[in-house]
Amino acid sequence: MSLPPFPAWQNAASEASFSDPATCAARASKFERTIRRRNLIEYAAGAFVIVLFTASSAGAAFKGEWLIALSMALTVVGAVIVLLGLRRRASNLDRRPEDPCVLHLRRQYERQFEALRDVPKWYLGPLIPGLALFYFAVTLGTAEVTGWVEALRGIAWPVVATIGLFGVIALANWIAARSLRRKIEEIDALA
């Protein structure tokens, strides 16, 4: 019995390539740590925004600046929505014991891809009403003193800078999403 019972299988085995389960587990763990670290930073920044803008809203209301107070309150609501979205859309997935590591990693990549791709909707979008109302309130207050032309000229640069910043954030997240899409395709190519 010196010949293998299924020669075709024996020949194919030399070409087969299997991923090392330990390498996959390390890759998944590293990705999960990256997500956890990113989310902790986002939660800390969100908490800072909530505290700062709540105090600012209260101060503006105390001074009788109701539009400014409302804009700050809307920003607080937007920050809460962003943090809830971060938890719902971009947190780590729980590992399921029945799933192989590579399937879990693919699910993680897919979840983060979708979260990064949709950043303008769930991350930037909730902040826009508060910012828009703030810029309107500042422009309205300035226009009463300097006139509309000067007020609009004065607010133009901050609005353009904010739109540019939001655009850079969206673009950076779309680029990151594309890199995750490539990783998903690599995993799919293994199947």
Side-chain angles (χ1 to χ4, degrees), residues 5-149:
F6 303 102
W9 286 5
Q10 183 70 27
N11 293 339
S14 64
E15 298 169 10
S17 62
F18 299 98
S19 59
D20 178 29
T23 302
C24 181
R27 190 171 168 191
S29 295
K30 181 181 177 190
F31 189 62
E32 288 171 349
R33 282 192 306 273
T34 300
I35 294 167
R36 192 175 304 111
R37 185 174 36 253
R38 179 208 60 202
N39 287 359
L40 286 174
I41 292 168
E42 294 288 342
Y43 290 137
F48 177 74
V49 166
I50 290 168
V51 169
L52 179 68
F53 279 73
T54 299
S56 298
S57 180
F62 181 74
K63 294 282 188 179
E65 297 287 343
W66 298 108
L67 279 179
I68 299 283
L70 181 58
S71 74
M72 299 292 174
L74 283 174
T75 303
V76 169
V77 170
V80 169
I81 291 169
V82 167
L83 293 180
L84 292 173
L86 184 66
R87 174 82 178 131
R88 196 181 101 236
R89 293 174 176 260
S91 60
N92 276 315
L93 292 172
D94 292 330
R95 289 182 187 241
R96 297 188 302 211
E98 67 274 12
D99 286 346
C101 179
V102 72
L103 181 60
H104 172 71
L105 184 60
R106 190 198 185 287
R107 286 178 42 240
Q108 283 280 51
Y109 283 160
E110 186 69 35
R111 178 177 174 88
Q112 295 305 314
F113 166 77
E114 290 170 3
L116 293 171
R117 180 194 62 199
D118 294 339
V119 154
K121 261 192 284 190
W122 68 270
Y123 188 88
L124 300 174
L127 301 173
I128 291 174
L131 282 168
L133 184 57
F134 177 77
Y135 287 144
F136 173 75
V138 168
T139 304
L140 185 63
T142 304
E144 291 173 357
V145 177
T146 65
W148 280 101
V149 172

